[in-house]
Amino acid sequence: MSELANELENVSANKCFGGWHKQYRHFSRTLGCTMRFAVYLPPQAMVGENVPVLYWLSGLTCTDENFMQKAGAQRMAAELGLAIVAPDTSPRGDEVPDDPAQAYDLGLGAGFYVNASEAPWSRHYQMYDYVVKELPELIEAHFPVSDRRAISGHSMGGHGALTIALRNPERYRSVSAFSPISHPVDCPWGQKAFRAYLGDDQALWREYDASLLMADTRATLPALVDQGMDDAFLERELKPETLEAAARASGYPLTLRRHEGYDHSYYFIASFIGDHLQFHSRQLAQ
């Protein structure tokens, strides 16, 4: 254990499919506040094996709990020997600014996985650095895991997973997403968040747009995206066709699957999470 060990406070622990689901609280130097994350450690991690890690980024209004409680990922993660880490979706605390109108798509629960540059957000809303740097450092220092990483997410978290992987392909073996916000510079959710967090500089916005990044990248990190065709946010906010066009333009290895009848909910995620875990497991094994 490193000297950081005293920063971790175990909040809860539940045995699950021979492994353990645990919640921890710690003070984040990056975000300047106390944060919570959840980790599922499969049975293999209990007997001394350093297992690979899938980082899961959740969507608007979620915490570390939604995916862990609703997606049903632990059974297959246990079979595959895969740890799952789920951070919160934004900084939290009385000192952390929130949207004055208390809208669900800005402020608490809506960090958008960017490094904010505008006041009052810039002091705490550094979720990009937290996910890319601080959290993996913490996980790899204190848990029986390796540095083989994959990343995935849903909606706002799908946007986060894709942009983080595209900007840091050397840190991950694979990336996947459910219903990602694929082109945030051209949708209401993204425009509202980016204008608040990043200001009016469109060049900064482009750094967090998966479609624009994918169109320009030379990376070849395998990507899997699933989209429900009965998703109420499909045309206005998600725009998967822009991601598909970007992949064609750059030759990026994207698999984008469309599913009739499925919506934006965790019922959709639970239906196909097994495919995603198997996809990541194959890449992590290479």
Side-chain angles (χ1 to χ4, degrees):
M1 289 289 188
S2 77
E3 61 183 8
L4 296 175
N6 290 334
E7 296 184 7
L8 285 183
E9 177 189 354
N10 186 206
V11 177
S12 66
N14 304 93
K15 195 164 188 179
C16 185
F17 296 109
W20 286 89
H21 170 270
K22 298 185 177 185
Q23 286 180 309
Y24 287 89
R25 186 161 44 225
H26 75 106
F27 182 81
S28 167
R29 301 182 305 275
T30 302
L31 304 178
C33 65
T34 297
M35 290 292 286
R36 193 176 70 188
F37 66 85
V39 55
Y40 176 69
L41 297 170
Q44 296 84 343
M46 303 296 101
V47 293
E49 182 178 341
N50 285 343
V51 299
V53 183
L54 173 65
Y55 289 87
W56 173 270
L57 307 183
S58 288
L60 290 166
T61 76
C62 291
T63 68
D64 64 290
E65 294 184 329
N66 300 72
F67 175 79
M68 291 298 203
Q69 293 180 0
K70 296 179 179 180
Q74 291 90 342
R75 181 192 293 273
M76 184 163 288
E79 295 176 3
L80 296 171
L82 183 62
I84 302 174
V85 173
D88 202 345
T89 54
S90 78
R92 304 276 182 175
D94 293 339
E95 74 281 12
V96 176
D98 193 11
D99 179 26
Q102 294 187 320
Y104 74 95
D105 54 356
L106 186 68
L108 300 184
F112 265 84
Y113 305 102
V114 303
N115 284 341
S117 58
E118 298 294 302
W121 312 101
S122 56
R123 180 180 176 186
H124 297 285
Y125 283 76
Q126 303 292 311
M127 287 297 294
Y128 177 89
D129 277 353
Y130 178 71
V131 171
V132 173
K133 299 175 183 178
E134 185 178 7
L135 184 60
E137 175 187 333
L138 200 65
I139 296 300
E140 290 166 21
H142 304 311
F143 298 98
V145 303
S146 71
D147 61 359
R148 289 177 293 151
R149 312 178 195 98
I151 191 166
S152 185
H154 172 232
S155 194
M156 178 186 72
H159 139 78
L162 289 167
T163 55
I164 285 171
L166 287 164
R167 290 177 60 176
N168 302 274
E170 75 286 351
R171 294 186 62 84
Y172 305 95
R173 303 287 184 91
S174 52
V175 58
S176 73
F178 289 86
S179 315
I181 303 172
S182 297
H183 193 29
V185 304
D186 190 34
C187 77
W189 278 342
Q191 290 170 346
K192 178 179 180 178
F194 287 3
R195 186 165 288 110
Y197 296 144
L198 304 173
D200 294 326
D201 186 352
Q202 297 281 323
L204 286 179
W205 293 22
R206 294 178 64 88
E207 294 180 10
Y208 299 101
D209 186 293
S211 293
L212 297 178
L213 291 170
M214 188 172 286
D216 292 338
T217 189
R218 294 183 179 179
T220 57
L221 196 70
L224 171 64
V225 172
D226 277 334
Q227 175 63 60
M229 298 309 291
D230 277 18
D231 192 319
F233 305 109
L234 178 60
E235 294 183 5
R236 180 177 170 86
E237 305 286 3
L238 306 180
K239 302 187 176 183
E241 67 278 2
T242 63
L243 198 65
E244 208 166 38
R248 286 196 301 268
S250 64
Y252 193 88
L254 169 70
T255 299
L256 195 155
R257 309 188 304 183
R258 292 172 169 84
H259 303 273
E260 294 296 333
Y262 287 92
D263 57 20
H264 200 71
S265 71
Y266 272 88
Y267 295 109
F268 174 45
I269 297 172
S271 298
F272 298 101
I273 190 62
D275 291 353
H276 285 239
L277 294 180
Q278 290 176 329
F279 164 76
H280 290 297
S281 182
R282 289 192 297 270
Q283 303 304 322
L284 289 163
Q286 295 180 12

